[in-house]
Amino acid sequence: MKKMTLVSLLAATMICAGGSAIAATPSHSTTYLPESGAYVGLMGSAMTSASGGDLNFAGIYGGYQFNKYFALEGSAQTDLMGSYDVVNEQMFSVLAKGMIPVSKRVTLYAGGGASYLRESALDDEFSSGLFMPTGIVGLNVALTHHLAIDVSST
């Protein structure tokens, strides 16, 4: 029986890929994307735990970029259940991100914040939750003034 625990999730590594839609007027200064404004995106991630179990997550994220160096971001993800999964997980995160524009189209970023992980059995035998610190490093590549690809590790 395959079962994922909170302890094994804490020791997991997650790599996320997603795309963002930017809801701001493009600036024509040093960056290709707007230097400030709201953004939203879809994400998918693959996670491997210390115990060897795999999780695939899908979710949504969004935030507000105050300038080209700082943003606040939130996300919600849910486990895409496999046929042998007996536990369902959801994760909610809030992050502050510091960014460094490398070129007009490429930005590197790192940040930190907090996440809440909720875990429940499909047969309703148990449900638990855990707050934990979260860190992120990533790369954002602008495809157009309103569309970007983001790759990160949490």
Side-chain angles (χ1 to χ4, degrees):
M1 171 165 42
K2 183 178 175 185
K3 182 176 178 183
M4 186 61 60
T5 66
L6 290 174
V7 175
S8 62
L9 283 172
L10 288 174
T13 302
M14 181 169 31
I15 297 176
C16 301
S20 299
I22 314 303
T25 305
S27 65
H28 297 286
S29 60
T30 59
T31 61
Y32 197 70
L33 289 175
E35 289 183 6
S36 65
Y39 59 93
V40 295
L42 299 175
M43 68 169 64
S45 59
M47 199 173 188
T48 302
S49 74
S51 63
D54 292 330
L55 289 172
N56 295 309
F57 280 85
I60 186 167
Y61 66 96
Y64 190 85
Q65 185 170 327
F66 293 92
N67 56 44
K68 64 182 176 180
Y69 302 108
F70 180 72
L72 292 177
E73 184 173 293
S75 66
Q77 300 178 63
T78 189
D79 180 13
L80 299 174
M81 302 290 290
S83 58
Y84 297 105
D85 282 347
V86 294
V87 177
N88 187 20
E89 294 89 11
Q90 294 90 35
M91 188 179 312
F92 307 93
S93 302
V94 177
L95 301 165
K97 290 174 32 176
M99 300 169 290
I100 300 172
V102 177
S103 70
K104 281 187 148 197
R105 291 183 183 260
V106 178
T107 301
L108 297 174
Y109 63 86
S115 292
Y116 177 74
L117 177 66
R118 182 177 172 277
E119 181 176 76
S120 59
L122 295 180
D123 58 8
D124 292 327
E125 284 187 26
F126 75 91
S127 181
S128 62
L130 175 68
F131 281 99
M132 60 187 155
T134 300
I136 190 168
V137 293
L139 171 75
N140 185 286
V141 179
L143 301 177
T144 71
H145 286 297
H146 297 285
L147 185 65
I149 291 180
D150 188 271
V151 178
S152 62
S153 179
T154 304

